[in-house]
Amino acid sequence: DMRKALSSMKSLAVEYERAGKPDKVKQLEDAVQELVASYEDCAYLAEAVKKVPGAYQPSDQATDFRKLIDAEVDKVKGTSRSSGHKDQLIRQFKEAVWDVHHAGQPMPGDEQEELVMTSTQNSILNMHCPLTLKPIVELENPVRCMDCRHIYDKDPIMSHIRRSKAPNCPVAGCPAVLQVARIFCDTFLRMEIEELRSSRPSAPNATEVEDISDQGEDEAEDLMDDDEDE
């Protein structure tokens, strides 16, 4: 849902930029910043709530769960690699607007930055499940090890762990010891995979991504018409 919203807002901003309405573009950029930040906060909270059962210590005194959850949120933020992904989403919005009048030219600051890798590439360490060799963009149930950050197909990796005693990660050279409790689909994994999928020209779901973009453009045109009527 957030991707659809961002796509619609990006398409609308492009139309406003073409129409010479920079104030409207700025309002949308601010809204995108708020949307992405809100999503990230919700993702941190969801991840922290999952960890509460393991962190809870029964005692004679009443437990301050708000304090417990806040502490877990701080831990999640300290170990999360999501902030780069947030920056990438915002950057995509700005690039779409910039390309309206400066297609093919680098955005201000790119000359110094030299984009080496996108946040998605930084977050996704392996492009195929090491057991099935299936591309991760095609996995129906992707999971990630919280220790080494490698991604697997859920059923094969769980079967591998149950068959073996404290197996190492099947990615060549990875020393991580796998535990069922440390492997799951974390909050940002599906979003990172979807971002990777949409960035690939030959992506299996390119049609689906195109449909979302088309829907965003249609909604943008409707909103532009409403704005002109006002």
Side-chain angles (χ1 to χ4, degrees), residues 5 10 48 62 69 81-82 99 114 116 123 135 175 205 211:
K10 182 168 62 176
I69 292 174
R81 305 186 185 187
S82 64
D99 285 345
E114 247 186 64
V116 193
S123 299
N205 290 349
D211 290 343

Side-chain angles (χ1 to χ4, degrees), residues 15-229:
E15 293 302 320
Y16 278 139
E17 182 70 11
R18 287 173 180 161
K21 298 182 178 180
D23 55 328
K24 296 289 187 180
V25 174
K26 184 61 170 65
Q27 289 176 14
L28 281 169
E29 181 179 335
D30 292 342
V32 166
Q33 297 267 9
E34 290 182 17
L35 177 61
V36 175
S38 296
Y39 176 83
E40 189 170 52
D41 287 340
C42 289
Y44 284 142
L45 180 59
E47 198 70 36
V49 168
K50 292 179 184 178
K51 299 178 181 297
V52 167
Y56 171 65
Q57 296 292 334
S59 68
D60 296 335
Q61 298 181 347
T63 301
D64 186 343
F65 281 100
R66 168 48 56 194
K67 185 176 180 180
L68 180 60
I69 292 174
D70 287 345
E72 292 303 317
V73 167
D74 289 340
K75 290 179 184 177
V76 171
K77 287 183 177 181
T79 58
S80 174
R81 305 186 185 187
S82 64
S83 58
H85 186 68
K86 177 187 71 173
D87 294 340
Q88 181 68 12
L89 292 173
I90 295 170
R91 178 185 175 80
Q92 287 174 357
F93 175 90
K94 292 182 177 179
E95 280 182 338
V97 173
W98 173 260
D99 285 345
V100 171
H101 299 300
H102 308 86
Q105 300 177 29
M107 288 199 305
D110 281 2
E111 298 87 347
Q112 292 79 27
E113 274 182 24
E114 247 186 64
L115 299 173
V116 193
M117 299 178 80
T118 67
S119 60
T120 300
Q121 290 171 321
N122 279 324
S123 299
I124 294 181
L125 301 185
N126 54 300
M127 303 302 292
H128 297 78
C129 171
L131 292 176
T132 65
L133 301 183
K134 193 173 183 179
I136 62 168
V137 293
E138 297 178 14
L139 299 182
E140 292 184 8
N141 293 301
V143 289
R144 177 156 53 192
C145 174
M146 292 299 98
D147 297 315
C148 64
R149 307 291 293 178
H150 286 125
I151 300 168
Y152 324 96
D153 199 350
K154 181 177 180 179
D155 290 340
I157 194 64
M158 292 305 181
S159 297
H160 175 67
I161 294 174
R162 293 187 183 101
R163 283 196 308 267
S164 310
K165 185 176 180 181
N168 284 85
C169 170
V171 172
C174 181
V177 177
L178 301 182
Q179 305 174 55
V180 170
R182 298 287 295 165
I183 295 178
F184 52 87
C185 186
D186 64 84
T187 309
F188 292 96
L189 179 55
R190 287 191 181 277
M191 190 172 179
E192 290 167 5
I193 291 176
E194 179 59 29
E195 191 67 32
L196 177 64
R197 183 184 292 122
S198 66
S199 69
R200 295 175 52 163
S202 58
N205 290 349
T207 303
E208 178 183 344
V209 174
E210 183 179 348
D211 290 343
I212 291 175
S213 298
D214 291 343
Q215 178 183 352
E217 291 174 2
D218 292 340
E219 292 175 1
E221 290 175 2
D222 292 340
L223 288 170
M224 284 286 289
D225 292 339
D226 292 342
D227 187 63
E228 290 174 0
D229 292 340

